[in-house]
Amino acid sequence: MEKEQYPVPPSETRRGGNNSIIIHPAEIDTPNHQVSPAMKSSSSPSPVVFGESGHSKKWWPWLIPAFVIANVVMFIITMYVNNCPKKSLSCIARFLGRFSFQPFKENPLLGPSSMTLQKMGALDVKKVVDGHQGWRLISCNWLHGGVFHLLANMLSILVIGIRLEQEFGFVKVGLLYIISGFGGSLLSALFIQSNISVGASGALFGLLGGMLSELITNWTIYANKVAAFITLVVIIAVNLAVGILPHIDNFAHIGGFLSGFLLGFVFLIRPQFGWFGQGYAPLGYIPPSAKSKFKTYQCALWIISLVLLIAGFTIGTILLLRGVDANEHCSWCHYLSCVPTAKWSCKTEPAYCLSTQIGNQLNLTCSSNGKSSVYLLPGVTNSQIQGLCTELCR
């Protein structure tokens, strides 16, 4: 099962009006405030000082594009390792040579085989628990099931991630991306243990979750905040709702979103207006009262989110390494990832055969049960292979 892809529309309503850079002017009207004796004796008119707040600085986005390039490079390497013509007789786009895709019935996303993805570092719970390969919780976020999967995720990450990196810098957004991806993999591993999982959608949903918490914790600086909040919530809800379709790892989406939502309160917090104004006060100006850098509710959300993150990751990792199947403790949670209907079954897994030709022998191996058989060539034609595969996978 893959962390499936969703084109996520950019939330252009995160700012009020025309999406311009936010500048917080610190206006000091001296007649209405206390001033020093030296300023009172001055005959010049009271100055009005405007200063640009620190968070209005725009960063040059380079990390998110670098992440996208890394994902594309990993997909190319994966296709090179896959080498479909060597393993299958019915590859798609055979003119691409070893970069050609697996048969459509095996992988409709135009990509490699599940065995290749597993070899490259897909999330396989058995290998994580029994093989002590915990690195798969990270590596699976850099692999994709196919061209469609890759394009949808990368386009969405570019639209959302570049905007966040411009506003908060590469360190905060980079940590948000990587930690959210880990959180998505962790929740996925606790609930989906029979299939492998790949994709950057956990990190993508982490960016969406960070956008939502950033709007909440910096609520007072936004215009049209209610409309922005409703729009963003609808976008997130629709994308999570799509995750109830079969063969989509919605637990990775949920885990990534929750991680990013909590991380947004930690990484994407902005100082309040009055704190910036104090830095631009004229010499001799005595402010009526000093303002703290952050508001009380911002500090409270920061502490609560950090505690929940540490506790959640610690408990989740311990449960995973002990081989706990979370479905045994939650009888209804599996509906969060797939809801069965009359048109599809959540337990249905596509079976296919891997074929290897050695001399005049053809070896077929079923993906679902591991059974294999050897046939002599040219006694077996291409039209007969599918029938033989169906019999083998029964």
Side-chain angles (χ1 to χ4, degrees), residues 289-366:
S289 62
K291 288 192 175 182
S292 59
K293 186 174 183 179
F294 300 109
K295 294 185 177 181
T296 303
Y297 78 89
Q298 291 178 313
C299 297
L301 288 172
W302 189 92
I303 295 173
I304 294 172
S305 298
L306 188 60
V307 171
L308 289 176
L309 275 169
I310 296 175
F313 281 179
T314 301
I315 295 173
T317 302
I318 292 174
L319 293 177
L320 175 61
L321 296 180
R322 289 183 177 180
V324 174
D325 185 352
N327 291 290
E328 297 178 356
H329 306 278
C330 181
S331 59
W332 57 268
C333 286
H334 62 278
Y335 292 116
L336 294 175
S337 186
C338 182
V339 177
T341 67
K343 295 184 177 181
W344 66 71
S345 171
C346 295
K347 296 182 179 180
T348 301
E349 299 179 16
Y352 55 87
C353 288
L354 298 174
S355 60
T356 304
Q357 183 177 348
I358 303 177
N360 63 341
Q361 291 184 338
L362 176 66
N363 182 32
L364 292 181
T365 302
C366 180

Side-chain angles (χ1 to χ4, degrees), residues 2-17:
E2 298 171 356
K3 302 176 188 176
E4 199 48 74
Q5 68 284 355
Y6 308 118
V8 183
S11 177
E12 297 297 341
T13 56
R14 295 181 65 249
R15 321 213 142 274

Side-chain angles (χ1 to χ4, degrees), residues 26-348:
E27 181 175 343
I28 311 299
D29 191 1
T30 54
N32 296 328
H33 299 285
Q34 297 179 1
V35 295
S36 65
M39 291 183 65
K40 288 182 178 180
S41 62
S42 174
S43 60
S44 59
S46 299
V48 178
V49 181
F50 292 90
E52 183 178 339
S53 69
H55 72 258
S56 64
K57 172 185 177 182
K58 288 295 181 180
W59 298 77
W60 177 258
W62 63 269
L63 186 62
I64 290 297
F67 282 167
V68 171
I69 293 174
N71 277 278
V72 173
V73 170
M74 282 302 304
F75 182 74
I76 294 174
I77 295 174
T78 302
M79 293 306 303
Y80 180 85
V81 173
N82 186 64
N83 195 8
C84 181
K86 185 179 179 180
K87 304 173 184 177
S88 178
L89 300 177
S90 54
C91 300
I92 299 176
R94 292 186 68 90
F95 63 89
L96 296 176
R98 65 185 300 153
F99 294 97
S100 57
F101 309 113
Q102 292 297 122
F104 191 75
K105 289 185 177 180
E106 177 182 342
N107 188 343
L109 299 176
L110 295 180
S113 67
S114 59
M115 293 183 65
T116 299
L117 290 171
Q118 188 179 61
K119 180 180 179 181
M120 294 296 294
L123 179 57
D124 186 332
V125 177
K126 292 182 179 179
K127 292 185 180 296
V128 172
V129 178
D130 301 329
H132 306 290
Q133 298 179 5
W135 50 269
R136 289 180 178 270
L137 293 167
I138 299 295
S139 62
C140 67
N141 293 293
W142 303 90
L143 301 173
H144 285 81
V147 174
F148 299 141
H149 191 192
L150 178 70
L151 287 178
N153 275 347
M154 293 305 101
L155 290 175
S156 301
I157 287 173
L158 278 175
V159 172
I160 298 171
I162 286 181
R163 175 64 65 87
L164 287 175
E165 188 177 351
Q166 285 176 334
E167 296 185 8
F168 297 98
F170 67 94
V171 175
K172 294 180 179 180
V173 175
L175 290 173
L176 175 65
Y177 182 97
I178 294 174
I179 298 175
S180 296
F182 174 80
S185 299
L186 185 59
L187 190 64
S188 172
L190 288 172
F191 283 94
I192 300 179
Q193 303 187 348
S194 60
N195 298 312
I196 65 172
S197 180
V198 295
S201 52
L204 169 60
F205 273 79
L207 296 179
L208 280 171
M211 288 175 64
L212 181 59
S213 56
E214 189 270 329
L215 175 61
I216 294 173
T217 192
N218 304 313
W219 185 258
T220 57
I221 72 173
Y222 284 96
N224 301 325
K225 58 192 71 176
V226 175
F229 178 81
I230 294 175
T231 301
L232 189 54
V233 168
V234 169
I235 291 173
I236 294 170
V238 168
N239 282 277
L240 288 175
V242 175
I244 65 175
L245 296 173
H247 310 306
I248 297 177
D249 187 355
N250 208 30
F251 284 112
H253 299 167
I254 296 172
F257 171 77
L258 292 177
S259 300
F261 182 71
L262 294 175
L263 285 168
F265 292 118
V266 177
F267 290 148
L268 309 184
I269 184 173
R270 299 181 191 268
Q272 58 177 318
F273 292 165
W275 183 81
F276 284 107
Q278 295 170 168
Y280 294 98
L283 184 63
Y285 168 71
I286 304 175
S289 62
K291 288 192 175 182
S292 59
K293 186 174 183 179
F294 300 109
K295 294 185 177 181
T296 303
Y297 78 89
Q298 291 178 313
C299 297
L301 288 172
W302 189 92
I303 295 173
I304 294 172
S305 298
L306 188 60
V307 171
L308 289 176
L309 275 169
I310 296 175
F313 281 179
T314 301
I315 295 173
T317 302
I318 292 174
L319 293 177
L320 175 61
L321 296 180
R322 289 183 177 180
V324 174
D325 185 352
N327 291 290
E328 297 178 356
H329 306 278
C330 181
S331 59
W332 57 268
C333 286
H334 62 278
Y335 292 116
L336 294 175
S337 186
C338 182
V339 177
T341 67
K343 295 184 177 181
W344 66 71
S345 171
C346 295
K347 296 182 179 180
T348 301

